[in-house]
Amino acid sequence: MDNFNIFPPFPASGRNVIRVFAAVIEEISRERNTTFVTISYRNCSGCADPSGTVRLVVNQDTVIRDENGRNMRIGELERGMTVDASFSSAMTRSIPPQAQAFSIRVVRRSNRTETTTGRIIEVNTRNNYILVLRNQNLSSAIRFNVSPNTVILDFFGRRTGLSSLRQGFRVRVEHASFSTASIPPQTTAFTIRIIR
């Protein structure tokens, strides 16, 4: 049996394409000759849900460009990058759904980040922050400020909001590598993911 790709490199019709803008690369994994790039988005043209997460199937037919429009290799994509992407409207029913990527364009490179795992001890939706204990000691608390660009993901990797976070949730926070000298220290959260 011939080996063929069921997804054409470029769709014949624009109605089969979904476009997302200013999406964030959450995860990159590789299996054989295929790379899977999971992105979360809030601005989607053609989506039933304007915000969500999708796992893109990226292969040699996917056009990848940098901020200046130059070609990039798949291996140059990194977690935390902001990208515009177009992909097939034919998606799997998995969580997150999976679709063939037609193009990915890097809009912004990721800032240097660190990751902290801990338990939420306070959620403040008025001042947009969460307080997280890294261990049982109160001196391990860190305040993560939540901006409009902060990506918050539930246990299944779906986008959610600050109001859905609760005291006692265990979270993994990707954040800026700097923090204030205050007590507790404060820094900006880029991604907050509930891990239970």
Side-chain angles (χ1 to χ4, degrees):
M1 183 169 149
D2 291 332
N3 191 5
F4 64 89
N5 187 350
I6 62 169
F7 296 103
F10 296 99
S13 163
R15 71 174 180 269
N16 298 325
V17 180
I18 293 176
R19 291 181 176 84
V20 295
F21 304 95
V24 176
I25 296 178
E26 301 294 343
E27 186 179 344
I28 299 173
S29 61
R30 291 171 180 83
E31 294 175 18
R32 297 187 203 156
N33 296 328
T34 305
T35 300
F36 298 95
V37 178
T38 302
I39 60 170
S40 57
Y41 55 86
R42 285 190 181 168
N43 185 357
C44 177
S45 169
C47 294
D49 182 2
S51 63
T53 304
V54 65
R55 188 176 192 223
L56 300 177
V57 179
V58 181
N59 57 28
Q60 68 275 6
D61 294 325
T62 305
V63 176
I64 305 172
R65 295 214 163 91
D66 68 11
E67 305 92 324
N68 300 311
R70 291 188 296 257
N71 288 333
M72 288 178 66
R73 290 178 288 113
I74 293 172
E76 294 177 85
L77 294 175
E78 299 174 0
R79 283 184 66 204
M81 283 181 166
T82 301
V83 297
D84 293 342
S86 66
F87 51 91
S88 174
S89 60
M91 292 191 218
T92 64
R93 294 179 185 260
S94 57
I95 298 176
Q98 188 171 293
Q100 175 68 39
F102 298 127
S103 68
I104 297 174
R105 180 171 177 146
V106 175
V107 176
R108 188 172 61 244
R109 304 276 172 158
S110 57
N111 298 325
R112 186 155 183 268
T113 62
E114 292 182 7
T115 302
T116 296
T117 302
R119 197 162 299 282
I120 296 174
I121 59 170
E122 181 184 348
V123 178
N124 189 313
T125 55
R126 176 176 286 222
N127 296 311
N128 296 319
Y129 72 84
I130 61 171
L131 202 57
V132 173
L133 271 187
R134 290 174 277 187
N135 57 46
Q136 299 298 322
N137 192 332
L138 283 176
S139 65
S140 73
I142 186 166
R143 174 176 158 163
F144 293 107
N145 296 316
V146 177
S147 77
N149 295 323
T150 301
V151 175
I152 302 174
L153 302 172
D154 67 14
F155 185 71
F156 299 103
R158 295 180 300 226
R159 285 189 86 137
T160 187
L162 179 61
S163 60
S164 66
L165 298 178
R166 298 282 181 264
Q167 185 176 347
F169 279 11
R170 191 161 168 72
V171 291
R172 182 179 298 116
V173 183
E174 191 172 329
H175 56 88
S177 57
F178 61 87
S179 62
T180 65
S182 59
I183 298 175
Q186 297 182 36
T187 190
T188 302
F190 299 131
T191 305
I192 302 169
R193 181 163 190 155
I194 300 170
I195 58 175
R196 293 287 177 210

